[in-house]
Amino acid sequence: MNEVRGAFDAHGRRFAVVASQFNEIVTGHLVEGAVGSFTSHGVSADELEIVWVPGAFELPIAARRLAASGRYDAVVCVGAVIRGETAHFDLVAGEAARGIADVARDTGVPVLFGVLATETLEQALDRAGGKHGNKGWDAGMAAMQMTSVLDQIPPKD
């Protein structure tokens, strides 16, 4: 039996982080978490690109451009969609998730979903370096793991 598991050594790899400026009080911490996960695992600053977009809805188009460029081993998307009084939350969070998943499937490049969808700002901050950890860090770790996993799976002939 052969078992494939990803490693977290990312020396020599290039990563991009796409971040939503909307709710930047939260997403700034998510970016710090993602960057911290990469740099603590051997990624140098010149192997990282951070791209800011207006909101979570715009994450997929920037992620697609980065993934399709062939310059990055993985792309991490971070944002925070916080429920308000209208259905806007459901539309934005759902379309961001669908769009990010589509980019990964269409390009074959790992595109990680680090978008928080919370009821309150407090819940978002708790997940952006607060009492529930940093989901940006987690997405960065998953990006490294996925690049390693894909390296171990033979490509389609």
Side-chain angles (χ1 to χ4, degrees):
M1 174 171 80
N2 188 28
E3 184 173 319
V4 174
R5 288 181 184 259
F8 300 106
D9 178 15
H11 288 87
R13 295 198 185 271
R14 291 186 52 84
F15 295 95
V17 178
V18 184
S20 166
Q21 287 178 310
F22 199 82
N23 291 319
E24 192 171 344
I25 190 170
V26 176
T27 57
H29 295 295
L30 296 171
V31 169
E32 289 171 9
V35 168
S37 74
F38 292 133
T39 58
S40 69
H41 288 84
V43 178
S44 66
D46 63 329
E47 296 167 324
L48 286 173
E49 179 103 16
I50 300 171
V51 176
W52 289 90
V53 297
F57 192 81
E58 292 78 28
L59 291 168
I61 192 166
R64 181 174 297 277
R65 179 76 56 95
L66 291 162
S69 75
R71 295 184 61 213
Y72 304 97
D73 294 287
V75 178
V76 171
C77 296
V78 296
V81 184
I82 301 169
R83 187 176 299 280
E85 297 176 359
T86 68
H88 186 74
F89 167 91
D90 298 311
L91 298 172
V92 172
E95 286 302 309
R98 184 190 58 77
I100 291 166
D102 286 350
V103 173
R105 280 190 298 269
D106 294 348
T107 65
V109 174
V111 181
L112 288 296
F113 186 77
V115 178
L116 304 176
T118 63
E119 298 293 323
T120 67
L121 176 60
E122 180 183 6
Q123 289 173 342
L125 290 170
D126 284 347
R127 288 157 180 79
K131 65 184 177 183
H132 293 294
N134 188 310
K135 300 309 176 187
W137 176 281
D138 295 347
M141 296 297 288
M144 289 181 277
Q145 190 173 17
M146 280 303 300
T147 59
S148 175
V149 165
L150 292 179
D151 281 351
Q152 298 173 63
I153 299 172
K156 182 179 176 183
D157 292 333

